[in-house]
Amino acid sequence: MMWYNDGWGWGGWFVMTVLMVLFWAVLIGGGVALVRYFSGTRHHQQPGPQWPSGESRDGGGQDRRAENLLAERFARGEIDEDEYKRRLTTLREHR
């Protein structure tokens, strides 16, 4: 039998085992990546109230984020009450 003298011996079994584990890891990881890629489109929608047409009321939440930022600045004391009310009125007028 020529296998024992000219073959890789135990090193060949070790290399084959590592390659087989890598093969299955790549195959399973690729399958998981494909499933997540094709089913992940629903997770990228903007949260918030939706109109029947599927569009959000305030254009993706830009107006709501601006009001929240303004409220945070008022809460931290960066702006006074008069400035807060003036800017909030301005934001709501330009919707």
Side-chain angles (χ1 to χ4, degrees), residues 10 13 16 21 24-25 31 33 39 41 51 57-58 63 76 79 87:
W10 286 103
W13 285 104
M16 283 194 324
V21 168
W24 284 108
S39 66
T41 56
W51 291 97
R57 186 185 85 185
D58 53 5
D63 294 334
R76 285 190 298 241
I79 57 175
R87 290 184 181 203

Side-chain angles (χ1 to χ4, degrees), residues 16-31:
M16 283 194 324
T17 302
V18 169
L19 289 176
M20 196 55 134
V21 168
L22 288 174
F23 169 77
W24 284 108
V26 168
L27 190 69
I28 291 170

Side-chain angles (χ1 to χ4, degrees), residues 66-83:
E67 290 179 11
N68 288 340
L69 180 63
L70 188 61
E72 287 175 15
R73 290 185 63 198
F74 176 64
R76 285 190 298 241
E78 293 178 9
I79 57 175
D80 62 353
E81 185 177 358
D82 292 332
E83 187 175 357

Side-chain angles (χ1 to χ4, degrees), residues 34-64:
L34 282 174
V35 168
R36 293 184 74 186
Y37 176 76
F38 286 117
S39 66
T41 56
R42 290 174 286 180
H43 302 294
H44 298 294
Q45 292 179 350
Q46 293 287 336
Q50 299 287 320
W51 291 97
S53 65
E55 299 175 14
S56 62
R57 186 185 85 185
D58 53 5
Q62 294 291 337
D63 294 334
R64 181 66 59 196

